[in-house]
Amino acid sequence: MAQNHDPQSSSVSQAELLEQFKAVIAGRGTDDLSRLLPQLLGAAMPGLDPFGQTPPPSRRRARRADVVTFRVRVDLTGTKPPLWRRLELASDLFLNEVHEVIQAAFGWTDSHLHEFASGKDYYHPASEHYLCPFEDGRIGVPEEDVRLDEVLAKPGDKLFYLYDFGDDWMHVIKLEAVLPRDDSAAKAVCIGGRGPGPSEDCGGVYGYELITAALDPTHPGHAEAIADYARMYGEDAEPGDYAPSSFDLDEINEMLAGFSEGEPDLPGPLGGLVLAIRSTTHRRLFQRMIVDADLDAAVEIDADTAAQMVSPYRWLLDRVGDDGIKLTGAGYLPPVHVEAAMAELGLGEEWIGKGNREIQTMPVLALRESAQAMGLLRKHRGTLLLTRSGRAVRNDPLALWWHLAERMPPASRDACETQAGLILLATLAARSTDEPVRTIAELLSAIGWMSSDGIPMTPSLAGQAVWDTRAALHRLGAYVSEPGIHRWSATPTPQGVTFARAALRTWSPKS
């Protein structure tokens, strides 16, 4: 039934309400307003859900009775030249598995929310959306309940995949062919593609293309891109921290192989680290490194090799001796001992400066601090002393080698540093030489570590987190030596691989 209103009284009431509304919202922040608005609208219009949505009609088809291979091309929209990957997928994959495949194919780290959609386009009101587990209050179907053959059926069909609701990486998945399937075929394989994968949080397509141009001296807009990047992010900003990941077909398919092989069981502390990695793709990457490390095989180390590796630590233990070393007032080694370390350990080529102040001579400082962190030395009343363990292994190179292996990575109160050290040991034990710091950054981000301003771990930040472990491994000769000031090779030595395997086999969080 229609209701009669007095226009004059209505206008007065609206004016009063407007003034009251202004008084209520004055000084409130965005979060307060977002909570307040539904209450205000609900009070003015009882029974109305201001944000209510009607689910669109389902676009899902019946699942196939047989399993076939879908050949799809996945394009990252807006990129010039087009950035894409061509995949062959089992038609019975669920969308949460397709998500993992796309993450691996483009080099993403699964650090942000994502969502699939089927329809004319992603944002069309009639499109049906398939939600990741962390989306609350959205209208849609859980992605783990939707099979690929429900949303793709014939060549030309499309599915949308949006990753990172800030940078808005829109992927279009287009079905190119439906092929017969061999039961032995892999669940997912990448058969082609073009272009390096963007780095996380690089600013979307614009940021990706800006960084790509800034890092490519042959790019026609190289100089302008460098200037634009410095103007936007500051003169000290380094575009290399957001360098795209190279398109490596073999590496992608190595990661995708886990879909067919299943996940190895890693009990104990290493298993706990695996569980901390929230991205399935990166969890499988770490598991594969552990498998490649062959931790079930016995560790064999001869006395001569052990003596050679631990010689810097043995020198330091002998230097401290039974009487200890009186430290400076600031708690550092006196200059005479620093100079002796530089000369007798041949550290002069690694560092610049006079080499007489420990705080300014990182090779010596790192050696002494790592010896403390691994339980060989301790400070007591201004004196550096051997621990009981230090005295026990001082004249036994094999025992010292095992002592260091059992306590690597060096003890740290920072869980991120410990996990970074373990991942570095895994790359070493698996004989991986492909940018270990970048791998560490990806895995730390997949665990959930980020910078203080909320940015996932960059290689630079990962390098800081792993510095103590890397310095100790370098001193042990775990990597091939390279000439130059503070240059650390990523190429493992055979004895370094053996040491890393021993460390991973014996590591305990209580070490």
Side-chain angles (χ1 to χ4, degrees):
M1 178 181 297
Q3 297 183 359
N4 294 322
H5 294 279
D6 179 347
Q8 185 174 2
S9 64
S10 175
S11 63
V12 171
S13 175
Q14 290 175 1
E16 292 174 347
L17 285 172
L18 180 60
E19 291 303 317
Q20 293 174 12
F21 181 72
K22 290 180 178 178
V24 169
I25 68 173
R28 292 181 180 267
T30 303
D31 291 342
D32 283 346
L33 292 176
S34 65
R35 290 190 294 266
L36 185 62
L37 183 57
Q39 300 174 22
L40 293 172
L41 292 175
M45 296 171 283
L48 174 68
D49 179 359
F51 299 114
Q53 300 179 46
T54 302
S58 176
R59 300 184 60 86
R60 285 163 287 155
R61 308 169 177 88
R63 296 175 181 176
R64 296 181 62 104
D66 59 336
V67 180
V68 295
T69 293
F70 283 168
R71 179 174 294 169
V72 302
R73 171 166 155 161
V74 186
D75 281 79
L76 197 51
T77 63
T79 53
K80 297 179 181 179
L83 170 56
W84 56 270
R85 302 288 184 261
R86 181 167 281 116
L87 307 167
E88 289 189 349
L89 309 175
S91 61
D92 63 347
L93 286 175
F94 285 85
L95 293 190
N96 59 310
E97 296 174 301
V98 177
H99 153 69
E100 295 169 9
V101 173
I102 294 174
Q103 289 283 310
F106 284 86
W108 299 122
T109 62
D110 203 4
S111 302
H112 301 280
L113 297 176
H114 66 273
E115 187 172 296
F116 290 92
S118 175
K120 185 176 181 180
D121 62 51
Y122 181 89
Y123 296 104
H124 194 277
S127 293
E128 186 176 41
H129 290 251
Y130 313 113
L131 313 178
C132 73
F134 306 103
E135 292 185 274
D136 296 322
R138 294 272 293 168
I139 297 296
V141 182
E143 65 181 11
E144 62 269 23
D145 294 340
V146 182
R147 232 168 66 164
L148 187 59
D149 56 5
E150 293 182 74
V151 289
L152 296 178
K154 61 183 185 300
D157 285 351
K158 293 181 180 180
L159 179 67
F160 300 94
Y161 170 81
L162 180 64
Y163 174 62
D164 185 352
F165 299 163
D167 280 355
D168 289 335
W169 299 104
M170 182 64 73
H171 308 67
V172 178
I173 306 164
K174 183 178 180 180
L175 180 58
E176 294 185 324
V178 179
L179 307 170
R181 183 168 188 79
D182 188 323
D183 290 341
S184 63
K187 285 280 191 180
V189 62
C190 184
I191 61 173
R194 178 181 182 179
S199 173
E200 298 281 356
D201 299 293
C202 67
V205 172
Y206 172 78
Y208 165 64
E209 294 183 343
L210 178 66
I211 291 167
T212 300
L215 294 175
D216 181 5
T218 66
H219 193 284
H222 175 65
E224 183 180 356
I226 290 178
D228 287 347
Y229 194 89
R231 184 164 55 250
M232 292 172 63
Y233 302 108
E235 295 292 338
D236 295 332
E238 176 52 62
D241 286 343
Y242 295 90
S245 57
S246 60
F247 172 54
D248 187 324
L249 199 62
D250 291 337
E251 182 178 343
I252 292 171
N253 284 320
E254 185 176 347
M255 296 179 71
L256 294 179
F259 282 90
S260 302
E261 298 175 0
E263 299 185 358
D265 181 29
L266 298 176
L270 282 179
L273 179 56
V274 169
L275 293 177
I277 301 173
R278 296 180 288 187
S279 158
T280 304
T281 299
H282 289 91
R283 187 161 60 247
R284 286 177 172 144
L285 169 64
F286 183 72
Q287 288 171 319
R288 181 165 292 278
M289 286 194 295
I290 296 299
V291 169
D292 290 343
D294 193 16
L295 299 185
D296 291 333
V299 173
E300 298 180 358
I301 180 71
D302 62 86
D304 289 342
T305 301
Q308 179 185 9
M309 293 184 71
V310 302
S311 57
Y313 287 94
R314 194 174 180 188
W315 178 92
L316 181 60
L317 296 181
D318 286 341
R319 188 79 182 184
V320 172
D322 295 328
D323 297 329
I325 294 175
K326 185 68 175 177
L327 299 172
T328 66
Y332 295 106
L333 287 172
V336 62
H337 299 291
V338 178
E339 291 170 349
M342 291 293 286
E344 297 176 30
L345 296 178
L347 304 180
E349 294 183 358
E350 295 185 27
W351 204 251
I352 57 176
K354 296 181 178 180
N356 61 354
R357 297 186 60 191
E358 190 186 29
I359 188 60
Q360 296 177 351
T361 312
M362 292 305 298
V364 179
L365 179 65
L367 176 64
R368 191 262 301 167
E369 288 186 336
S370 65
Q372 286 181 240
M374 291 188 283
L376 296 170
L377 300 174
R378 64 186 178 93
K379 289 181 178 180
H380 179 67
R381 296 183 178 179
T383 301
L384 188 65
L385 300 169
L386 298 175
T387 63
R388 180 180 299 176
S389 295
R391 290 194 297 272
V393 300
R394 174 180 170 187
N395 296 312
D396 188 340
L398 267 176
L400 178 54
W401 189 93
W402 277 106
H403 177 97
L404 292 171
E406 291 169 359
R407 288 159 180 78
M408 185 72 73
S412 172
R413 295 180 180 178
D414 188 332
C416 179
E417 291 183 356
T418 299
Q419 291 177 338
L422 285 169
I423 296 168
L424 178 63
L425 287 169
T427 67
L428 176 57
R431 300 173 177 84
S432 173
T433 60
D434 186 20
E435 300 184 85
V437 175
R438 184 174 292 277
T439 299
I440 294 167
E442 291 181 2
L443 291 174
L444 290 177
S445 292
I447 291 171
W449 294 108
M450 59 185 65
S451 68
S452 57
D453 54 1
I455 296 175
M457 298 292 286
T458 63
S460 177
L461 290 172
Q464 296 174 31
V466 81
W467 199 94
D468 288 344
T469 302
R470 199 173 185 184
L473 290 171
H474 172 73
R475 188 58 53 220
L476 288 163
Y479 294 99
V480 173
S481 297
E482 287 190 1
I485 300 299
H486 204 56
R487 292 191 62 180
W488 287 345
S489 166
T491 304
T493 60
Q495 61 268 29
V497 172
T498 301
F499 182 87
R501 290 182 59 249
L504 291 172
R505 280 169 56 97
T506 59
W507 180 75
S508 167
K510 296 180 180 180
S511 292

